[in-house]
Amino acid sequence: MSKKLVGIVPSAKLFKNDDPYADRYEFVNSYIKRIEENGGVALGVLAHDGRLDTESLAVFDSFLITGGLQIHPYHFQVVEYCWRHRKKLLGICLGMQVIHSFFTVLEESKKRGFDGELLDLYIQMKREKHMFVLPVEGHWQHNITRNNIEPTRHEVSLLQDSHISRILQTESLRGSSMHNYAIHCPQGDLKLTGTSLDGSPEAVEYDDHILGVQFHPEVDGSLDKLFQFLL
């Protein structure tokens, strides 16, 4: 049996200054390592000028949106592709925020009777100063390093009989946190399935193929079942 191809959707720094060599997509080793240790093949999802030719996504069996600092159009395009084609998707940290943003725009399109491209509505809502995420305190008290994982962990409670609780076979875990922003109430068919002790959203899911987590399971192998979900 051939191995599953998992598209790694990277973070990026684009158009920050006049230096074209500063426009970079960044692939973090830990995400690739977890996919390959669990029996998959990790391949990069490559965009140009922050956008994808979505026809190229057909080669992948599933997708992983990694952590990062900024949502770009290609992030949104991957979520929409997985939603339309029922491809498995795991969004981590920023990846969960991208999933939330997509479903927020999807609901808003219904309210407005918008029949154009959802990416265009997302860009329009950003111009309208819509707040897709809000500041949160106390979730980045330590940087995650090779020798400093345990102090970054916090308790996460999972909704009983949620898809993520079935995948992990538990209703609680200790996840590593490193973020200053969090989503608020999930919209539409996106379900909130995990929270931290302060009530911050920690996991969301749509049906059985789109899953987002705010914590970082790539830091070690203790939550490998989340990567096996993609395979």
Side-chain angles (χ1 to χ4, degrees):
M1 181 181 295
S2 61
K3 293 184 177 182
K4 298 287 187 181
L5 301 182
V6 181
I8 306 295
V9 186
S11 60
K13 296 177 182 178
L14 300 173
F15 313 123
K16 299 295 185 181
N17 54 49
D18 290 334
D19 179 4
Y21 294 96
D23 296 336
R24 298 185 179 185
Y25 299 89
E26 299 181 341
F27 293 87
V28 176
N29 180 68
S30 298
Y31 300 105
I32 300 165
K33 179 179 179 180
R34 295 293 163 232
I35 293 299
E36 301 204 342
E37 283 184 340
N38 284 284
V41 175
L43 295 175
V45 175
L46 301 181
H48 64 270
D49 290 345
R51 291 176 180 258
L52 290 167
D53 177 350
T54 54
E55 290 186 8
S56 67
L57 301 181
V59 303
F60 299 103
D61 295 297
S62 57
F63 296 88
L64 168 60
I65 301 180
T66 69
L69 298 177
Q70 183 179 350
I71 297 175
H72 293 281
Y74 65 88
H75 288 115
F76 194 93
Q77 289 176 290
V78 169
V79 180
E80 182 171 4
Y81 182 86
C82 291
W83 173 71
R84 292 190 183 279
H85 297 275
R86 293 195 60 83
K87 291 284 184 85
K88 285 189 175 182
L89 167 65
L90 173 62
I92 295 175
C93 198
L94 178 75
M96 171 169 150
Q97 296 172 12
V98 179
I99 292 169
H100 168 260
S101 297
F102 170 78
F103 281 92
T104 299
V105 171
L106 184 61
E107 280 302 293
E108 188 66 18
S109 71
K110 297 174 184 176
K111 294 175 183 177
R112 299 189 186 192
F114 183 86
D115 61 359
E117 295 292 330
L118 291 174
L119 177 58
D120 292 338
L121 180 56
Y122 170 68
I123 294 170
Q124 179 178 327
M125 290 173 68
K126 287 186 67 176
R127 290 182 182 136
E128 295 169 356
K129 308 299 183 183
H130 182 91
M131 298 298 294
F132 289 96
V133 294
L134 297 172
V136 63
E137 296 183 356
H139 285 252
W140 196 335
Q141 296 180 330
H142 306 278
N143 285 333
I144 298 173
T145 68
R146 299 184 210 279
N147 302 313
N148 191 45
I149 296 175
E150 188 56 35
T152 70
R153 297 193 196 275
H154 65 291
E155 296 295 326
V156 176
S157 297
L158 303 178
L159 186 67
Q160 183 178 12
D161 202 35
S162 60
H163 194 53
I164 186 173
S165 69
R166 291 193 295 272
I167 290 169
L168 294 175
Q169 298 178 325
T170 185
E171 293 177 11
S172 65
L173 58 89
R174 287 179 56 77
S176 290
S177 180
M178 197 168 64
H179 61 101
N180 291 320
Y181 290 87
I183 72 167
H184 37 97
C185 182
Q187 300 292 307
D189 294 325
L190 188 66
K191 296 179 180 178
L192 176 63
T193 54
T195 55
S196 59
L197 293 178
D198 65 2
S200 296
E202 291 285 345
V204 293
E205 60 190 53
Y206 169 74
D207 205 348
D208 62 355
H209 63 287
I210 294 179
L211 178 64
V213 296
Q214 190 62 62
F215 52 89
H216 286 266
E218 76 278 4
V219 297
D220 58 25
S222 62
L223 295 171
D224 271 359
K225 287 186 175 67
L226 286 175
F227 299 99
Q228 293 164 15
F229 153 75
L230 295 175
L231 304 172

